[in-house]
Amino acid sequence: MSYPEPRYLGEKGEINAVFRGADTPPDIVAPSGTATHYLASHASTGGEFGLYKVDMGPKAPGARTHFHRSISESFYVLSGEIQLYDGERWVTGRQGDFLYVPVGGLHAFKNDSDDPVSMLMLFSPGAPREEYFERVAEFARRGGEELREFQVKHDSFFL
C-alpha cells in the first residue's frame, strides 16, 4: 500500500487549519434531545470526511438497522454506554470502544441506558449529512414515500 498521489504541490505550505473550541454549542438539538456537533462537515473538509460529536440522552432511540451505498461510518465512544449493532449482534460500546462499518455494512445504534452517552461519528468520504441530521425527524413524522425518498437521497437504506 502506498500514499495517494499528492494534492498539494506548493513548496511552503499554507495557513488553512480550522479550530473549533470545546465550548462551541451544538449545531442542532433534535426533538429526542440528541445534540449534534459538526466538528468537520463535508463542506469544511472538501468532501474528504465528516466528523460529528453526538450527545444522546438516556433512552435515546438512535438509528435502526440500515446501510450506506457510498460512505463508511465509524463510531468512537467518548463516554457512557451505547448499544451498537455490527450487522450480526448488538454489542455494548463503552468509553474508548470503536466500531468501523464499511460501505454496505449493516449497522444500528441506540442508547438503552438511563445515562447519557457521547460519541464521535465519522463518515468517509464526506457527505452532506448535515441536512439529514437537521431534517430526519421532520421526514419521519411525514412517513411514507416522502420519508423513503429523503432516506435514499441521503444514502440511508433501512431494513
Side-chain angles (χ1 to χ4, degrees):
M1 180 167 219
S2 62
Y3 280 86
E5 288 296 315
R7 294 182 293 158
Y8 175 74
L9 302 174
E11 297 296 324
K12 297 183 182 190
E14 296 181 6
I15 299 171
N16 58 6
V18 178
F19 176 80
R20 180 181 168 105
D23 59 349
T24 304
D27 292 278
I28 59 167
V29 178
S32 66
T34 296
T36 305
H37 303 256
Y38 300 168
L39 302 179
S41 68
H42 79 287
S44 69
T45 66
E48 290 188 40
F49 66 93
L51 180 63
Y52 307 88
K53 180 177 176 251
V54 179
D55 299 318
M56 299 172 71
K59 305 291 185 188
R64 58 189 170 78
T65 304
H66 65 286
F67 66 92
H68 306 290
R69 291 189 167 144
S70 65
I71 54 177
S72 67
E73 186 170 357
S74 298
F75 302 85
Y76 181 80
V77 182
L78 297 170
S79 65
E81 292 186 357
I82 187 159
Q83 296 301 305
L84 299 166
Y85 183 64
D86 68 4
E88 290 186 308
R89 62 191 171 96
W90 286 94
V91 296
T92 300
R94 295 178 178 87
Q95 183 177 357
D97 288 341
F98 176 77
L99 174 67
Y100 168 66
V101 183
V103 174
L106 293 171
H107 61 287
F109 62 91
K110 60 187 175 181
N111 182 4
D112 280 346
S113 79
D114 292 324
D115 298 311
V117 66
S118 183
M119 67 179 170
L120 296 176
M121 293 173 59
L122 174 72
F123 296 92
S124 180
R129 297 302 286 174
E130 299 80 27
E131 181 187 26
Y132 183 81
F133 295 142
E134 293 165 7
R135 301 192 68 200
V136 67
E138 166 193 341
F139 279 88
R141 281 191 300 275
R142 293 182 192 177
E145 189 61 24
E146 280 187 90
L147 173 59
R148 193 189 72 70
E149 288 175 5
F150 178 78
Q151 290 168 334
V152 169
K153 174 184 174 185
H154 290 285
D155 190 23
S156 296
F157 299 87
F158 288 85
L159 300 187

